[in-house]
Amino acid sequence: MDAETIRKLIESGLPGAQADVQGDDGVHFEATVVADAFRGKLPLARHRLVYATLGERMGGEIHALQLRTLTPEEAAAAH
C-alpha cells in the first residue's frame, strides 16, 4: 500500500474531498482530508466516513492511519 493509492481511494469514496496522505513505510500513514461531507459531523463520524472509503484495507494493508478531517471552512481558517 502507498500514500497515493490511499489518497485516490479516499477521494473517490468521498466525492469532492481533497486528501493529502503521507507515509513512507507502507503501513503507517497520516492523512488530512478536507470535505463538505464533514460539515456538522463530530470527529468520530468524520473518521468513519474516511475509513469506509478504505474498507477492509484498514487493519490489513493499512496498519495505522492518523486522520485530520476538516471542512473547507476549517481548512481555510487553519492557514
Side-chain angles (χ1 to χ4, degrees), residues 11-25:
E11 289 182 353
S12 66
L14 277 174
Q18 292 183 317
D20 176 37
V21 182
Q22 306 292 320
D24 296 329
D25 67 3

Side-chain angles (χ1 to χ4, degrees), residues 1 7 10 18 29 31-32 36 39-40 45 49 51-53 58 78:
M1 186 56 62
R7 182 191 67 77
I10 292 171
Q18 292 183 317
F29 299 93
T32 299
D36 284 326
R39 199 171 276 118
L49 284 173
Y51 293 146
T53 68
M58 282 305 305

Side-chain angles (χ1 to χ4, degrees), residues 14-18 34-41 49 70-73:
L14 277 174
Q18 292 183 317
V34 179
D36 284 326
F38 298 149
R39 199 171 276 118
K41 291 187 171 46
L49 284 173
L70 304 166
T71 65
E73 294 79 13

Side-chain angles (χ1 to χ4, degrees), residues 35-62:
D36 284 326
F38 298 149
R39 199 171 276 118
K41 291 187 171 46
L42 295 173
L44 183 59
R46 294 175 178 197
H47 290 195
R48 284 181 178 148
L49 284 173
V50 175
Y51 293 146
T53 68
L54 303 171
E56 295 176 0
R57 294 172 186 88
M58 282 305 305
E61 297 168 81
I62 304 167

